[in-house]
Every structure is written in C-alpha cells, then in structure tokens.
Amino acid sequence: MTGRVATLEVDGLEVVFETRQGAVRAVRGVSFEVGAGERVGMVGESGSGKTAAALAVTGLLPPIARVAGRVRFQGRDVGALGSPERRALRGRHVGTIFQDPLSSLNPTLTVGRQITEGLRAHLRLDRAAARRRAVDLLRQVGIPAAERNFDEYPHRFSGGMRQRAMIAMALSCEPELVIADEPTTALDVTIQAQILELLVGLCDERDTALLLITHDLGVLAGVAQRILVMYGGLVVEEAPVDDLFYRSAHPYSQALLGAVARPDRPGRPRPIAGEPPSGLQPASGCVFAPRCPYAQAPCRSSSPVLAATARNGGHRCACHFTGELW
C-alpha cells in the first residue's frame, strides 16, 4: 500500500451463494486494502470472485449470498451499519461503475435526472443547484452539448457516452472511493483507452481512491499502482504493477501474462490449459494445482498462504515454491 491511511480495509472476506446445486464459495477469506488516493487493480478470469468481492464491499449482493469477514471504510465497520447508513455510504462516499451502463442506467429517467437524484439526496442540493452541478459534471466527462443531453434518455447515448455518464454519476458526490467493475468491456479499444484515461484523470484530480476490476491485465498496465490477482475465490498474488508484469511470482499470474499479446515479447499468446475451479467443490490443496505446470505433491494436499516474497515486502504470493522453480 502507499503508506497513507487506508480508505478501504477488507479482512477475511467470505462470500457463499446458496444455490439448488449446493453452496458455492465465490470468495474464500480474501484480505486487502486500498489506500487513500491509491489506484488498485483486481484481475482474474471469469468466476474468480472479483465481482462478488466488490459487491460484498458495497452491500449489493443478492439475498442468496452469505457474507462473512470484516469490511472497514475509513475505519468504520461497514457490517455494523444499518440500512440507511449503508445507502448513504454507497451514495455519498463510494461511487460504483458497472460493466454495462445500459442495464445500470434507468431507461425511464433522463440521464440528468439520475445524476441529480444522488446530488439532492446526499448533498441536499436544491433542484436548480443540482442541475447546474450535473451539467458541469457532464461537461467534465466529455459529454457534448451537456445542457441539451442532460434531458436525454440513456438509449439516445452511445456506449461510450453512457459510460461517461456513469462516471459522472459515480463522482457526483465527491466520493473517497470509486469501484469500477469491468467498466470498458463492452467498448471498442479506442473508446476503452479514452474512458480509462478520463476515469484515472478525474480520480487523481479529486484524490479519489480507485479499485478497478477486470479480466484483462492489459487494462491495468497504465492505470493501477498495485495489482491483486484472484483465482478460485482467493488472492494468489499481490504486487506493485511493475513487479507483477516483469517479476511475477505465481504460476497463475505468469499464465495470465502469457495469454496476453505484448509488444515487448515475441510469439503468440498462450491460452491457459484446463478449466477454472468450481466453487461447489473447492480444491483441498492449492487452488491452481490442477492447471499448474509446476505442481508437486504438497500442492495437491495443502493450500499455500499469501506471504511476502524475498524480492519485495510489498510483493506477496500464495505458492509453496515461490522463487524456487522459475
């Protein structure tokens, strides 16, 4: 972490979904921090537990989910808050940007109305002041003709404009933390870069912490200061961005990097062999052992703990053989 006071502290987070097939352990004892103003990336394949962890932090999981562990926001225990306090926390202090803005925005309300609702509820602005602030926010995120588009409905916006509107909404109440869950997945590459640059720039201007969740390591290369790699509901590696890209210690992180086309490395990307684990039947040993080319007997019988590597105290890895095999 940066050494500044933590905005978000997650300790031993567990998320279990009760389904007809049985209990699915989506998140298995995850702990991490996001410092004030820090940009943290969380990466992993679909089903690794990234989104479940984020929804648990914001209290937006469905009723079939059971949550254990502790989440603190600026030192306050989120689990001890009542429903009104949690709603205030989400609206005022934590902004959220979801993957699909079209399904996240209310199709029956204008974009401007959806931004001003939060401003009026959490900042107690009157109608005129809320409108002025919302129009200014739309300008800041690059929405053309902001006064006119304030009164447009979401379906009249392009995908990139909708995501810009979501960024405006997330930042409208000057939150201390923004959680962005796959915010550029549905956009083309050029628009992705613009949206990420905008999001990072606005967060930096406001000294707002950012937790950016993605399945694409390339998205995090120029954005995150620190990266958490998730697999099978666990954090298997945590490292500063340069360490993760150039000195990764976990075989899964290396496999993820190998699956990404990189200009500094010749050859084709290599897909990861095998299938991700099922939350219904968690492995008894290392969660990555069935797909790991380095797996040995201890890997199949006991689960490694996330511990500091010899290279860097801020670089942690959950592997029985960190530094010994590669």
Side-chain angles (χ1 to χ4, degrees), residues 283-308:
S284 57
C286 173
V287 70
F288 189 59
R291 303 173 76 184
C292 180
Y294 308 108
Q296 299 183 31
C299 306
R300 299 181 180 89
S301 59
S302 64
S303 181
V305 298
L306 191 66

Side-chain angles (χ1 to χ4, degrees), residues 42-62:
M42 183 179 283
V43 68
E45 294 170 278
S46 296
S48 62
K50 311 181 303 296
T51 295
L55 292 176
V57 166
T58 54
L60 293 174
L61 285 168

Side-chain angles (χ1 to χ4, degrees), residues 141-175:
V141 299
I143 299 290
E147 280 277 4
R148 176 173 58 79
N149 280 314
F150 175 94
D151 294 310
E152 290 287 6
Y153 289 87
H155 72 273
R156 299 293 299 272
F157 280 23
S158 68
M161 285 176 65
R162 285 193 289 267
Q163 201 59 292
R164 288 172 185 268
M166 286 295 298
I167 292 172
M169 194 179 304
L171 291 170
S172 61
C173 294
E174 301 287 341

